[in-house]
Structure formats: C-alpha cells, structure tokens
C-alpha cells in the first residue's frame, strides 16, 4: 500500500509560473463518477490531486503539443477531463476516457485494467511517467527537457553514497531519479518514538535510511548508512507511505506524525541547490486508502480550504483532518 503526501513551498522561483491576478485559482471543484463495478476510485483520487496542484494544471494547459497516441492517449484523456472540470455544468464527471486510455496503455503489464481496483500512488506515478513520454518520447532517467512537467516539477534528482566514519572510505555515488519518495510507516513510527524533538522531514530521512546498512566500501568492518543527496529543487514532492500490512495499527500514529510543512534539507542528508536549501514545502494534497477504497484531500488555493473527494462526493473540510485513514501525500510550492 502506498501513501503519499503533497506539500508546497514558499519563495523560490515564484515569478516563473505564477502571475498574481491571472491565477486560475478558479479551479472549479467537481466530483468524478464511479459506477458500480468500475472500481475507479484509485484513478479518481489521483486525478483530483493532480487537478488541484496549481503548478501541474497550469503547466499542462500551457503545453503546446505532444506525441499523441489517439484513442489510448493518456495525455489527451487527462487534458479532456481537465477542460471539462472547467467548462462542464455537471457536479460530477465520468473519468471513463482516462480509465480506458490507462487500461489500453498498460494492458501488456495487466495493470489498471477496466473493472479492477488498483493502487492510487502507482497510478499517480504512472500518469506522470506517461506525460513525460508524451512530451519526450524516450525512456530516460536524466530528462532535461524544459517542457517536461514530470521532470521539471515533480522529479527528485538524487544520488546515494555511503561514507565510512571509521576509515573515511566512500562508495561511488549512485545517481537516480524518483517521482515518489517511498517511506516505510513501520520505520517512521520507530523514529517517531526515538527522536521526539525532530522535524517531520528529519523523521522521514531517518526512516528512509535506517534499515539500509551497507558494508564499508573498503571493508574495514564497519556497517554504514546510506546518504541521499538532492541535486535539484522539485516544486512538488510526493511521499508514498508503504504499509507493512493491509490492517495496520500504525494509522493514527502516522497521521499524528504528519507535518503541514516539509523542508527539503531535512528530508535529505544534503541538498545542493540553493533554492532547495531555503524552501519549505506545504502540504497540499493527500490520497487515502481505507476499507478497500480510495479518497482524496486537496488544498483549494483560491478559497484556502481543504476539500474532500470521494468519487462523486465533494465536501469542504470544516474541521481538522482526523480519522482512520491511510494516506499518500504531495508537497508543492505555496504561492504568496
Ligand atoms: Zn494525445
Ligand atoms: Zn521528462
Ligand atoms: Zn570503513
């Protein structure tokens, strides 16, 4: 089970994608239909979070073209749904076109097939990966295209290295890119008990590296921890919580540990980008799983309110979020 969080960040490259006064923050809120047997709640939740990420919505609208796959084009289906969000007078819309495009695209892998329930975090991640492929049609980890929303806005460019404190030897840095930073909830709760005064980001960092001990690269006998260094400044960061069992008793503890803010320099051992060093991300979206069903929470910029989405049902959140829900989260920049 994966849960991620979405946070946004003040400051940084404000001017680039945000013009005061012009904002869309008109993002209308609508539900998404899920007829009996469709099992589309995982997709509906991922789409609601994407739609409410101002950076994503605006960037997608501004893209001039893409490599189109016709009937099975996830890009077209998502854009079509977004324009209906804006133009339709219905209170809930069908997500069928996107569901079909997703099923068609992943039929060889037997993922996201019609009528079957699937994982919302993986759906979110796969939609982003597909958007990359519709803009830059190559499978590459080191995408530098300025128009690729996926890699420009969401990707974390990292390298891993282990350095031995005892003999000073270090391993070769291993670079990689991730769209969702997965953390074990069991490890997070262990860290929460041991490090009471640390920030949410520091707890996540400790939880992500704790079980991963390696042998010293020069074999001096030490067991050493891996270090993750962030080399870019993602505007949106997604944390996926991995649950060890379907029925976890850690849910409340995990929800209590969630911070409304996340600092990138706390989340990683080191951050090299100057903007990333200063920035604080703010929680802006959550996908939750409970009783074999997904729902989502998203921060609505214009009204500064949290909105709850359960397929066709849309509700403004009037009290502090609390309850027996498992979550997935995203952080993005907060525009002030
Ligand atoms: Zn297309
Ligand atoms: Zn890309
Ligand atoms: Zn050593």
């Amino acid at each position: 089970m994966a849960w991620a969080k979405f946070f946004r960040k003040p400051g940084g490259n404000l001017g680039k994608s945000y013009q005061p006064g012009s904002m869309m923050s008109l993002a209308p809120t609508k539900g998404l239909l899920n007829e009996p047997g469709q099992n589309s709640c995982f997709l509906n939740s991922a789409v609601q979070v994407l739609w409410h990420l101002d950076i994503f919505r605006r960037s997608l609208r501004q893209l001039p073209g893409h490599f189109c796959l016709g009937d099975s084009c996830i890009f077209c289906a998502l854009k079509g749904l977004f324009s209906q969000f804006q133009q339709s007078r219905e209170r809930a819309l069908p997500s069928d076109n996107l569901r079909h495009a997703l099923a068609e695209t992943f039929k060889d892998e037997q993922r996201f097939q019609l009528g079957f329930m699937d994982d919302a975090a993986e759906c979110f991640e796969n939609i982003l990966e597909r958007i990359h492929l519709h803009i830059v049609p190559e499978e590459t980890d080191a995408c530098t295209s300025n128009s690729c929303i996926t890699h420009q806005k969401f990707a974390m460019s990292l390298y891993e290295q282990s350095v031995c404190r005892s003999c000073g030897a270090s391993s070769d840095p291993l670079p990689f890119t991730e769209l969702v930073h997965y953390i074990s909830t069991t490890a997070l709760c262990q860290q929460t008990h041991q490090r009471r005064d640390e920030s949410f980001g520091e707890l996540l960092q400790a939880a992500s590296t704790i079980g991963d001990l390696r042998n010293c690269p020069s074999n001096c006998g030490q067991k050493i921890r891996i270090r993750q260094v962030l080399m870019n400044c993602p505007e949106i960061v997604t944390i996926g919580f991995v649950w060890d069992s379907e029925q976890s008793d850690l849910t409340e503890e995990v929800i209590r540990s969630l911070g409304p803010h996340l600092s990138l320099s706390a989340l990683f051992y080191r951050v090299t980008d100057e903007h990333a060093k200063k920035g604080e991300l703010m929680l802006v979206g959550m996908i939750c799983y409970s009783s074999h069903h997904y729902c989502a929470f998203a921060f609505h910029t214009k009204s500064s309110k949290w909105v709850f989405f359960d397929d066709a049902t849309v509700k403004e959140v009037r009290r502090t979020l609390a309850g027996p829900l498992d979550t997935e989260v995203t952080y993005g920049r907060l525009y002030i």
Side-chain angles (χ1 to χ4, degrees), residues 9 11-13 233 264 271 273-280 333:
K9 190 176 189 181
N13 304 329
C233 182
L264 289 173
V271 165
D273 181 282
E274 287 305 316
H275 289 300
K277 279 182 195 168
K278 292 182 220 133
E280 267 243 311
R333 275 180 206 283

Side-chain angles (χ1 to χ4, degrees), residues 31-315:
L32 288 167
L33 298 168
N34 186 12
E35 305 294 349
Q38 282 190 323
N39 283 317
S40 291
C41 60
F42 72 92
L43 173 64
N44 291 348
S45 301
V47 168
Q48 289 291 8
V49 169
L50 285 170
W51 168 250
H52 285 89
L53 285 170
D54 296 353
I55 298 165
F56 178 79
R57 190 182 56 252
R58 290 188 198 120
S59 308
L60 191 75
R61 195 171 44 213
Q62 284 161 10
L63 271 182
H66 68 287
F67 296 90
C68 189
L69 291 177
D71 284 348
S72 61
C73 186
I74 289 178
F75 191 99
C76 284
L78 187 65
K79 252 193 140 163
L81 192 51
F82 276 20
S83 66
Q84 276 191 293
F85 269 135
Q86 230 156 5
Q87 289 156 15
S88 168
R89 293 179 174 219
E90 302 293 330
R91 298 178 71 171
L93 303 167
S95 54
D96 301 23
N97 288 351
L98 184 55
R99 187 80 158 98
H100 279 98
L102 198 64
E104 186 60 27
T105 305
F106 288 93
K107 68 171 184 244
D108 292 346
E109 291 97 319
Q110 281 297 303
R111 292 297 315 271
F112 311 117
Q113 295 304 291
L114 296 184
F116 290 92
M117 180 70 157
D118 216 305
D119 186 290
E122 289 172 24
C123 174
F124 178 88
E125 196 174 353
N126 275 294
I127 289 176
L128 289 177
E129 275 169 11
R130 285 285 142 178
I131 287 174
H132 157 82
L133 288 173
H134 283 294
I135 301 169
V136 187
E138 284 161 39
E139 302 262 1
T140 168
D141 223 25
C143 166
T144 52
S145 163
N146 282 334
S147 53
C148 178
I149 307 173
T150 302
H151 289 101
Q152 288 294 311
K153 311 294 184 189
F154 290 82
M156 289 163 264
S157 298
L158 300 163
Y159 72 82
E160 272 189 357
Q161 192 173 32
S162 39
V163 179
C164 179
R165 276 198 215 160
S166 170
C167 74
S170 60
S171 63
D172 288 337
L174 173 73
F176 63 102
T177 300
E178 55 182 29
L179 297 175
V180 178
H181 192 63
Y182 287 97
I183 308 275
S184 146
T185 51
T186 308
L188 175 63
C189 291
Q190 280 165 1
Q191 295 309 309
T192 313
H193 295 149
Q194 288 166 20
R195 305 160 178 256
R196 296 204 174 270
D197 296 327
E198 295 194 10
S199 71
F200 180 51
E202 287 165 328
L203 292 173
L204 291 177
Q205 187 197 152
S208 77
T209 52
I210 191 75
D212 195 9
L213 291 178
R214 315 270 171 103
N215 289 324
C216 162
S218 74
N219 287 316
C220 80
Q222 284 291 316
K223 292 275 185 201
I224 53 182
R225 250 200 227 189
I226 204 85
R227 295 170 173 180
Q228 291 186 333
V229 177
L230 178 72
M231 296 178 286
N232 69 333
C233 182
E235 292 184 51
I236 300 159
V237 167
T238 305
I239 310 288
F241 290 117
V242 181
W243 299 81
D244 293 340
S245 67
E246 179 109 348
Q247 295 278 317
S248 173
D249 51 7
L250 298 175
T251 309
E252 272 188 38
E253 212 173 311
V254 170
I255 289 175
R256 267 203 309 275
S257 77
L258 294 180
H261 299 103
L262 179 63
S263 124
L264 289 173
S265 39
L267 183 58
F268 297 104
Y269 175 78
R270 196 156 66 82
V271 165
T272 57
D273 181 282
E274 287 305 316
H275 289 300
K277 279 182 195 168
K278 292 182 220 133
E280 267 243 311
L281 298 151
M282 205 186 89
L283 182 62
V284 291
M286 264 191 277
I287 296 173
C288 306
Y289 181 78
S290 177
S291 311
H292 305 283
H293 181 66
Y294 284 100
C295 59
F297 293 90
F299 186 70
H300 189 255
T301 314
K302 192 180 183 191
S303 61
S304 296
K305 283 182 176 145
W306 280 90
V307 186
F308 169 69
F309 298 92
D310 182 356
D311 293 324
T313 306
V314 179
K315 285 184 194 156

